[in-house]
Amino acid sequence: GDSVTQMEGPVTLSEEAFLTINCTYTATGYPSLFWYVQYPGEGLQLLLKATKADDKGSNKGFEATYRKETTSFHLEKGSVQVSDSAVYFCALKRAGGTSYGKLTFGQGTILTVHP
Amino acid sequence: DAGVTQSPTHLIKTRGQQVTLRCSPKSGHDTVSWYQQALGQGPQFIFQYYEEEERQRGNFPDRFSGHQFPNYSSELNVNALLLGDSALYLCASSSPGVNEQFFGPGTRLTVL
């Protein structure tokens, strides 16, 4: 079945440091890939997405590139802020382009950014 | 434009009881999915509703059931609650032909 694996966490960085959170997936076909963020006590917010190989999703300084050859979708940000402290989830969904189908999530990576 | 709303925010029940959680999708969305997020874990898919029918289901027992109403809102029902049902229950909605899901704030269920 489909699965998503995220790097072991938590991740602790100083403000303005470079961030990478690794994500690899297993799925048949060509799933859509997503990064969601969850702030304390809240639901999930879509951060960015990519729907086909070599697509780059970007939002709020975060980027991730859909790499079919390595089945990866690593999240990066050049300079993190304290306000980026949250839990980040990588997810995939088959049946791209329709509302049908479930999201399959990784286990999440806790990011803490210190001033 | 209101996003996805869920009620109640928090709920405390005892083992063996039954619970109903509610979700109103984002305006214009017709598909509702439910997820269970245990503490420290990623969300797990429970089921998805479209046109008032369950059209996909995850690996959850029959104690978990749902319903979708003509206005697209949805309920999640859990019978015979177990301690292990304690979790954050998330509702997500999506619009026709779009593969993004938008999440509500969740309902925190505690089973004692």
Side-chain angles (χ1 to χ4, degrees):
Chain A
D2 299 342
S3 67
V4 175
T5 302
Q6 292 183 229
M7 64 185 292
E8 300 269 336
V11 175
T12 302
L13 296 172
S14 297
E15 208 165 24
E16 299 184 3
F18 183 84
L19 168 71
T20 299
I21 301 178
N22 290 339
C23 170
T24 57
Y25 68 90
T26 301
T28 57
Y30 297 87
S32 295
L33 302 174
F34 305 85
W35 277 100
Y36 281 86
V37 58
Q38 186 174 37
Y39 297 100
E42 298 184 12
L44 277 69
Q45 299 177 25
L46 178 63
L47 183 59
L48 54 84
K49 68 175 183 178
T51 56
K52 61 183 188 295
D54 300 325
D55 263 3
K56 177 185 282 188
S58 62
N59 185 28
K60 299 180 182 179
F62 291 90
E63 293 183 339
T65 301
Y66 189 144
R67 300 289 188 198
K68 182 67 175 174
E69 64 276 12
T70 55
T71 62
S72 65
F73 192 55
H74 305 320
L75 182 68
E76 297 181 336
K77 187 175 185 183
S79 176
V80 294
Q81 305 300 312
V82 172
S83 58
D84 293 327
S85 298
V87 183
Y88 292 80
F89 292 94
C90 185
L92 70 81
K93 181 178 173 299
R94 290 205 247 161
T98 74
S99 61
Y100 175 83
K102 64 178 183 179
L103 287 164
T104 299
F105 287 88
Q107 70 271 34
T109 300
I110 300 171
L111 171 66
T112 303
V113 180
H114 293 296
Chain B
D1 176 26
V4 179
T5 60
Q6 293 185 244
S7 63
T9 304
H10 296 88
L11 205 50
I12 299 175
K13 292 287 188 178
T14 57
R15 280 177 297 175
Q17 285 190 311
Q18 178 265 343
V19 68
T20 297
L21 310 181
R22 296 176 176 83
C23 171
S24 291
K26 192 175 167 64
S27 177
H29 288 191
D30 63 356
T31 300
V32 174
S33 304
W34 286 92
Y35 294 82
Q36 180 195 65
Q37 186 180 17
L39 198 61
Q41 303 294 317
Q44 297 291 316
F45 175 75
I46 302 175
F47 42 54
Q48 184 178 81
Y49 276 83
Y50 172 71
E51 292 188 341
E52 303 179 49
E53 297 286 332
E54 181 187 293
R55 68 174 179 180
Q56 191 176 15
R57 188 178 182 92
N59 188 26
F60 279 81
D62 292 344
R63 298 187 297 110
F64 289 77
S65 63
H67 188 77
Q68 185 178 34
F69 299 93
N71 66 353
Y72 308 121
S73 66
S74 178
E75 290 182 348
L76 164 65
N77 300 291
V78 187
N79 294 322
L81 284 167
L82 304 174
L83 295 179
D85 295 332
S86 295
L88 180 67
Y89 287 84
L90 296 165
C91 170
S93 71
S94 46
S95 59
V98 178
N99 68 358
E100 289 183 28
Q101 295 186 10
F102 293 82
F103 284 80
T107 294
R108 173 72 63 187
L109 172 65
T110 301
V111 182
L112 302 177

